[in-house]
Amino acid sequence: MASNMFVVPQTRGTVLCCKCGISMAPNPANMCVTCLRSEVDITEGLRKHVTIMHCPECDSYLQPPRTWIKAQLESKELLTFCVKRLETDLKKVRLVNAEFIWTEPHSKRLKVKLKVQKEVLNGAILEQSYVVEYVQQDHMCESCTRIQANPDQWVASVQLRQRVTHRRTFFYLEQLILKHDAAAHAIKIKQMDQGIDFFFANRSHAVKFVEFLGKVSPTKSRHDKQLVSHDPKNNSYNYKYTFSVEISPICREDLICLPPRVATSLGNLGPLVICTKVTNNIALLDPLTLRQCFLDTEQYWRHSFKSLLGSRQLVEYDVFNIEVVSPEYNVGGSKYVIADAEVARVSDYGKLFYIRTHLGHILKPGDRALGYDLYGANSNDIELDKYKGLVLPEAILIKKSYEEKRQKKRGKPRPWKLKSLDMEVDESRGRANEQKMDSEYEEFLRDLEENPELRFNLSLYRNKDYQPSEMVSVSDGDDLPSVPLEELLADLELSEQEDGEDSMRE
Amino acid sequence: MATRLQFENSCEVGVFSKLTNAYCLVAIGGSENFYSAFESELVDVIPVVKTSIAGTRIIGRLCAGNKNGLLVPHTTTDQELQHLRNSLPDQVVVQRIEEKLSALGNCIACNDHVALTHTDLDRETEEIIADVLGVEVFRQTIAGNILVGSYCAFSNRGGLVHPHTSIEDLDELSTLLQVPLVAGTINRGSEVIAAGMTVNDWTAFCGSDTTATELSVIESVFKLREAQPSAIVDEMRKSLIDSYV
């Protein structure tokens, strides 16, 4: 048929409402809206008063049986929560709109206006709005009660230890933890001798933290639990769980003498190696052959050897002469050049050593370097004795020293700073330890400046107090290695939102 | 004058009765109240006949008629047919018709001059209607419904149709039927007009759920207020019309 068929326009007539007689358009009920409303109340049988529980400490509302939902007054979450409490009622009608009516904040009443639709009387759909009043009763939630009762109550604790004399690892770990927010659930962090203790309210948080540690450092852990209380009727038991995590004592820049079995298993790696990187693997570099090997956490703990000399025993050397012997090698991302060097200890210029070093790429005559004095050291290492006929080099250089240049910059603030965890310190230690800690922290910061790969995993923040001074631009020769400004994160102004956990530390 | 009544607690009086200008058919109910209501109104004027059609009580919807004749479906039994022929006045022709659509009351709406029928009615049936009832037959729909006999009720004076009838339709029907029509409801908003009421030129019977508004609409469109016979005379009326023919 043709599409332009003549269609008679249909206008709706008006009918009289069967109750009140006013003229209206016909609808399925044939009653005007007012009469229909007076006839039928679709909100009949729906609750108009509901009681809800509110925790005044953490401003959250109870959704039975157990969940507490945190919500602000007149927020979307609170509206969703209120509507959810009426779920059974709202199954009978269709909800079209819900909104809050303002009530005084301290009145402990919430009013929500709901618009609902329902089908009545042969197919007519009626829409009606009504107000539901929620009475807020104060009731502390379980976690707040527990905290109030005993603020130090913990359920699981992680005892992190490293049996070395310095705290460099813990400074680095602290930054890593902050970056990954791994200690977000810790209710208390305590600094102990040779380690840190973390306390958690939940066993699963502790397990998650232990796994995080296992991913970033070579650790060995064991766990245990202690019965606190027992409900015989319920057959439920309350335990305190303890996880003991030990980090391997091998640190960066340590000199290690590998036990013979490990050396052979790694392909006859020269028994003296330097540790170049520690994550969950340990990277060992033979300075004389420039071979690098990785030791797995498992492999390490199977042999669990200790280092021969640590960074505390580093001695300053003056370099008089350098002769490059080999071309530049790229070993695991860093470049090394083997060179013969003529060095003498700064403390004793009388004795010259001719040694082979792997730092040929950065050392020049007149530089200072830090290294291990094997000539003067008295090592009582068992492993060393196992090697019969091993000739020890007289010195092994580890890194270049910027001590002189640092003298110039002493006292000036750095352009960057780090955040720190909120730790409780054991006060009984005394003054000497505090000074030691400060100097160690200073060394750690220097370490960060010198090594870009160390900085890679951490967040550094811009220091607003730093003013670049005129003097710096005048310095000649090679500059002190410093952190380029692009790497710095603009310090977030989170002063209101920051919990007590993080604090700025210069 | 419009009366409100119930048949055994149902307000659908148009289902259980058939009222014309010459006779009235009433279903056999459990109690005599229904019959007495009709009888009290119509006692000396027209015969009120109690009957069943096809053994059922829904006689209003099964048969169609006016003062000239009565059409009953093929399901009517011979005894019923005979009973009707005996009870009704001689000038009323009772005819049983063979029609597939056997609920003639739902398919045919008529007064003494015009009839509206279901669009699918047989040719022969249409001719029989024109012949027996003496009316002009029009096939129509009302507000899109083909059951014209259910959704409208009209007499020689006026008519009431389904409330959703558009104005154009109303005009068209009014022209065909030559009576004033109004769209309205019966029995508190029900759209099935002819099931809820039955009407002739001077009286109407509606279900008891009919509201006062609906009743006033009915009385005004069917012009029942001036009609005789009526026991109640309103002072405000100017005059009483003597004849209703």
Side-chain angles (χ1 to χ4, degrees):
Chain A
M1 294 303 287
S3 57
N4 43 355
M5 227 165 54
F6 174 69
V7 175
V8 182
Q10 306 277 340
T11 21
R12 295 269 274 202
T14 53
V15 208
L16 298 188
C17 163
C18 65
K19 270 189 84 170
C20 57
I22 63 169
S23 189
M24 55 161 222
N27 68 39
N30 289 316
M31 275 198 259
C32 64
V33 186
T34 343
C35 292
L36 200 54
R37 283 241 173 90
S38 65
E39 280 284 301
V40 186
D41 180 17
I42 55 178
T43 63
E44 199 181 310
L46 301 178
R47 278 182 295 174
K48 309 271 175 21
H49 291 273
V50 184
T51 314
I52 54 177
M53 299 291 180
H54 170 243
C55 173
E57 300 287 318
C58 51
D59 203 17
S60 44
Y61 296 85
L62 175 66
Q63 181 141 25
R66 242 181 247 232
T67 3
W68 287 85
I69 298 182
K70 204 167 154 78
Q72 301 274 4
L73 272 185
E74 307 231 342
S75 64
K76 237 180 359 163
E77 295 92 33
L78 194 56
L79 193 60
T80 325
F81 167 76
C82 290
V83 170
K84 251 202 180 144
R85 296 288 283 125
L86 290 178
E87 216 162 0
T88 43
D89 286 342
L90 296 176
K91 285 209 181 95
K92 302 176 202 153
V93 294
R94 201 171 76 118
L95 182 66
V96 175
N97 189 21
E99 57 185 12
F100 275 115
I101 295 180
W102 186 83
T103 47
E104 197 66 50
H106 288 278
S107 64
K108 303 225 182 284
R109 302 277 186 276
L110 289 170
K111 284 207 178 117
V112 178
K113 181 151 84 164
L114 296 163
K115 214 188 276 192
V116 291
Q117 272 182 359
K118 193 172 172 183
E119 190 183 299
V120 292
L121 285 197
N122 22 304
I125 296 182
L126 195 61
E127 189 179 277
Q128 194 172 335
S129 30
Y130 70 109
V131 176
V132 180
E133 188 176 316
Y134 294 85
V135 178
Q136 200 180 318
Q137 271 182 8
D138 277 343
H139 183 98
M140 277 213 323
C141 62
E142 291 112 35
S143 38
C144 290
T145 333
R146 224 175 272 145
I147 293 173
Q148 285 268 332
N150 183 2
D152 286 334
Q153 185 81 334
W154 54 269
V155 174
S157 83
V158 175
Q159 294 171 332
L160 185 62
R161 301 284 180 267
Q162 189 185 32
R163 315 252 172 243
V164 281
T165 49
H166 59 83
R167 290 192 75 93
R168 269 169 52 206
T169 323
F170 292 113
F171 292 137
Y172 181 65
L173 263 180
E174 184 186 344
Q175 296 305 316
L176 264 186
I177 290 172
L178 278 169
K179 171 106 186 194
H180 289 99
D181 227 0
H185 294 282
I187 49 183
K188 196 165 75 151
I189 305 173
K190 198 160 165 196
Q191 204 177 63
M192 307 289 280
D193 179 30
Q194 292 197 333
I196 309 180
D197 278 355
F198 296 84
F199 297 96
F200 297 91
N202 204 322
R203 183 177 176 270
S204 47
H205 297 152
V207 169
K208 187 168 165 201
F209 187 68
V210 169
E211 277 178 20
F212 167 74
L213 289 175
K215 282 201 198 77
V216 299
S217 47
T219 57
K220 179 169 78 162
S221 78
R222 27 168 309 175
H223 59 269
D224 214 346
K225 62 185 185 208
Q226 179 193 26
L227 186 65
V228 171
S229 69
H230 164 222
D231 185 354
K233 296 204 182 88
N234 257 348
N235 255 355
S236 66
Y237 303 83
N238 273 346
Y239 290 102
K240 268 195 173 22
Y241 303 91
T242 312
F243 296 84
S244 170
V245 179
E246 184 172 333
I247 307 184
S248 78
I250 309 288
C251 301
R252 270 183 63 241
E253 296 167 5
D254 275 2
L255 186 68
I256 306 163
C257 180
L258 292 173
R261 299 187 86 193
V262 182
T264 41
S265 74
L266 290 176
N268 263 337
L269 203 57
L272 285 179
V273 288
I274 302 173
C275 174
T276 45
K277 195 165 171 188
V278 177
T279 52
N280 51 346
N281 299 330
I282 303 175
L284 302 170
L285 174 74
D286 183 348
L288 302 176
T289 59
L290 282 187
R291 265 179 60 200
Q292 192 173 53
C293 271
F294 287 94
L295 263 188
D296 226 349
T297 312
E298 260 184 61
Q299 281 175 305
Y300 170 76
W301 283 111
R302 223 178 292 147
H303 306 283
S304 69
F305 46 85
K306 293 208 194 32
S307 48
L308 187 61
L309 292 171
S311 51
R312 284 266 170 95
Q313 281 93 14
L314 281 173
V315 166
E316 256 194 283
Y317 286 86
D318 235 339
V319 178
F320 295 121
N321 213 357
I322 287 273
E323 262 174 46
V324 169
V325 164
S326 83
E328 199 173 87
Y329 286 117
N330 194 332
V331 183
S334 343
K335 297 187 183 33
Y336 296 108
V337 173
I338 300 195
D340 279 333
E342 200 183 309
V343 298
R345 285 169 297 187
V346 165
S347 52
D348 180 16
Y349 277 112
K351 180 85 178 127
L352 280 176
F353 300 108
Y354 295 92
I355 55 165
R356 184 155 274 204
T357 169
H358 62 286
L359 299 174
H361 58 297
I362 46 170
L363 289 179
K364 283 182 279 306
D367 272 347
R368 286 257 173 103
L370 290 167
Y372 292 110
D373 183 16
L374 289 167
Y375 172 78
N378 203 353
S379 9
N380 273 332
D381 206 50
I382 316 170
E383 312 294 344
L384 216 47
D385 297 337
K386 284 195 189 144
Y387 289 98
K388 299 194 173 30
L390 175 66
V391 175
L392 290 176
E394 286 152 338
I396 297 190
L397 298 180
I398 301 292
K399 57 183 181 183
K400 184 167 166 179
S401 159
Y402 297 97
E403 199 52 47
E404 282 178 335
K405 301 198 179 64
R406 292 210 189 271
Q407 303 268 353
K408 290 185 208 151
K409 278 203 125 186
R410 184 145 295 169
K412 295 211 179 74
R414 291 194 166 78
W416 52 275
K417 59 185 177 181
L418 297 170
K419 286 195 182 166
S420 75
L421 280 178
D422 192 13
M423 282 198 256
E424 259 180 46
V425 184
D426 207 359
E427 286 301 316
S428 59
R429 289 284 120 187
R431 285 277 139 168
N433 267 336
E434 215 177 289
Q435 278 181 358
K436 201 163 75 156
M437 290 270 284
D438 285 341
S439 62
E440 275 183 1
Y441 193 70
E442 179 64 32
E443 276 181 33
F444 169 64
L445 292 179
R446 276 188 215 159
D447 230 359
L448 280 185
E449 274 182 348
E450 290 169 19
N451 293 295
E453 57 179 48
L454 207 57
R455 289 199 294 269
F456 181 68
N457 284 327
L458 312 179
S459 318
L460 302 165
Y461 297 92
R462 212 167 279 179
N463 183 0
K464 281 197 275 289
D465 301 330
Y466 171 73
Q467 307 289 340
S469 60
E470 297 293 316
M471 295 273 282
V472 179
S473 50
V474 182
S475 69
D476 53 338
D478 43 357
D479 285 323
L480 270 184
S482 59
V483 180
L485 278 181
E486 305 85 56
E487 278 186 28
L488 300 180
L489 299 175
D491 191 7
L492 302 169
E493 286 298 330
L494 290 174
S495 42
E496 292 95 25
Q497 294 173 24
E498 250 182 299
D499 314 325
E501 273 189 41
D502 296 0
S503 55
M504 286 297 124
R505 190 171 162 186
E506 259 288 74
Chain B
M1 210 45 230
T3 321
R4 283 192 267 215
L5 71 163
Q6 278 186 324
F7 179 81
E8 286 185 0
N9 220 22
S10 161
C11 301
E12 309 292 331
V13 291
V15 174
F16 301 103
S17 62
K18 188 97 198 148
L19 180 63
T20 66
N21 289 328
Y23 55 87
C24 176
L25 300 177
V26 175
I28 303 167
S31 71
E32 286 294 306
N33 291 337
F34 194 60
Y35 175 73
S36 353
F38 277 93
E39 206 189 5
S40 59
E41 269 300 307
L42 306 167
V43 63
D44 286 327
V45 189
I46 54 175
V48 181
V49 181
K50 274 207 276 196
T51 180
S52 68
I53 294 188
T56 68
R57 301 190 293 181
I58 50 169
I59 57 173
R61 302 293 92 220
L62 289 181
C63 64
N66 60 11
K67 73 172 185 338
N68 300 322
L70 176 68
L71 297 170
V72 291
H74 63 93
T75 46
T76 317
T77 60
D78 292 333
Q79 290 95 316
E80 289 161 352
L81 196 55
Q82 197 57 41
H83 172 65
L84 281 168
R85 286 215 175 103
N86 292 343
S87 326
L88 293 180
D90 292 330
Q91 62 267 39
V92 178
V93 180
V94 182
Q95 176 82 352
R96 179 162 58 182
I97 56 180
E98 301 296 320
E99 164 61 57
K100 183 180 57 178
L101 305 168
S102 58
L104 299 173
N106 283 337
C107 299
I108 305 166
C110 60
N111 63 6
D112 293 335
H113 310 289
V114 190
L116 296 178
T117 60
H118 191 290
T119 48
D120 296 338
L121 220 58
D122 286 346
R123 274 272 97 163
E124 299 95 65
T125 312
E126 195 180 322
E127 286 164 11
I128 297 175
I129 295 171
D131 200 27
V132 170
L133 300 182
V135 291
E136 228 184 306
V137 180
F138 297 105
R139 290 171 191 257
Q140 269 295 336
T141 63
I142 297 198
N145 291 307
I146 43 176
L147 291 177
V148 290
S150 309
Y151 290 104
C152 79
F154 60 96
S155 69
N156 295 323
R157 308 231 161 179
L160 185 64
V161 294
H162 189 289
H164 290 181
T165 315
S166 65
I167 302 199
E168 290 81 15
D169 272 359
L170 219 49
D171 289 339
E172 187 189 341
L173 288 168
S174 195
T175 328
L176 281 179
L177 301 176
Q178 293 295 309
V179 293
L181 292 177
V182 86
T185 64
I186 188 84
N187 279 342
R188 209 176 180 69
S190 166
E191 297 159 343
V192 195
I193 311 292
M197 64 180 286
T198 179
V199 63
N200 69 4
D201 285 346
W202 70 87
T203 185
F205 295 90
C206 314
S208 56
D209 272 352
T210 312
T211 61
T213 318
E214 291 165 340
L215 213 57
S216 72
V217 167
I218 288 167
E219 289 192 350
S220 76
V221 77
F222 288 109
K223 301 188 183 51
L224 300 175
R225 291 203 189 100
E226 313 91 53
Q228 235 197 10
S230 164
I232 303 160
V233 175
D234 198 340
E235 306 88 52
M236 294 211 303
R237 302 280 177 257
K238 282 185 243 161
S239 62
L240 283 171
I241 299 171
D242 238 343
S243 141
Y244 54 84
V245 171

